[in-house]
Amino acid sequence: HGTMIAGIIHLVAPRAKIMPLRVFRPDGTASTSDIARAVYYAVENGAKVINMSFSLPDFSPEIMRAANYAARRGVICVASVGNDGKNVLVFPAALGNVIGVASTTNEDLRASFSNFGEDTVWVAAPGEGIITTFPGSSYAAAWGTSFSTAFVSGAVALLLEVDIKTNAAQAGDALSHAKSISEELGYGRLDLYEAVLARRKALGLQ
């Protein structure tokens, strides 16, 4: 999963440095303390974007505090909204200072598995049949909001290349220049060109 996420981020932002942190066990479980600890570690060791390609059904004060800490330090958090096909709150995507990401199809519709809802989703990105890196020096196709999240994290890395001081609010504003689909998918499907252009315009760059 991590290798596939990293491959997408590298595809979008080839010059971004990736800090891989393992917090989930082989069976896909993790403790909230492990997740929070990884967030603190990433912030303290120079991360500018934290890709959180996971979702939890319950609110966690520990993770909220970690996300708040990251935001205060200027680190931008991006999280998937989950794959249950429901209008439901999941965390950390539903936190106010985290960019929640849903999945779209190749036809710019909501992917059937993607969670949705204006209280969780800020923007969406492709999440079906995404070809990316796979362990063993190979490639594989992936489906899920995890992989859509990686596209948005890569987009944020590009915005930071435009201006390293870009904060979460400014990144969110740039990402909102997306292809509108429906209210259930926030501002719509990610448009890398428009997002970067919007950030450049905001800075008075040509």
Side-chain angles (χ1 to χ4, degrees), residues 32-129:
T32 54
S33 60
D34 285 341
I35 294 170
R37 189 178 300 115
V39 172
Y40 289 120
Y41 181 92
V43 174
E44 292 298 327
N45 287 275
K48 300 298 182 185
V49 186
I50 299 180
N51 180 88
M52 296 186 283
S53 285
F54 62 87
S55 62
L56 305 174
D58 300 314
F59 169 77
S60 164
E62 287 180 291
I63 294 178
M64 182 186 70
R65 285 193 291 269
N68 289 344
Y69 177 75
R72 289 196 302 270
R73 296 290 294 271
V75 180
I76 301 168
C77 294
V78 184
S80 61
V81 302
N83 302 318
D84 301 309
K86 299 177 180 179
N87 184 349
V88 60
L89 292 181
V90 297
F91 300 91
L95 297 176
N97 51 15
V98 175
I99 297 171
V101 184
S103 285
T104 55
T105 67
N106 291 335
E107 291 75 35
D108 277 337
L109 302 172
R110 177 176 64 85
S112 60
F113 55 77
S114 178
N115 286 345
F116 55 93
E118 58 186 37
D119 292 329
T120 307
V121 180
W122 185 263
V123 71
E128 291 192 345

Side-chain angles (χ1 to χ4, degrees), residues 1 113 182 194:
H1 189 267
F113 55 77
S182 71
E194 292 295 338

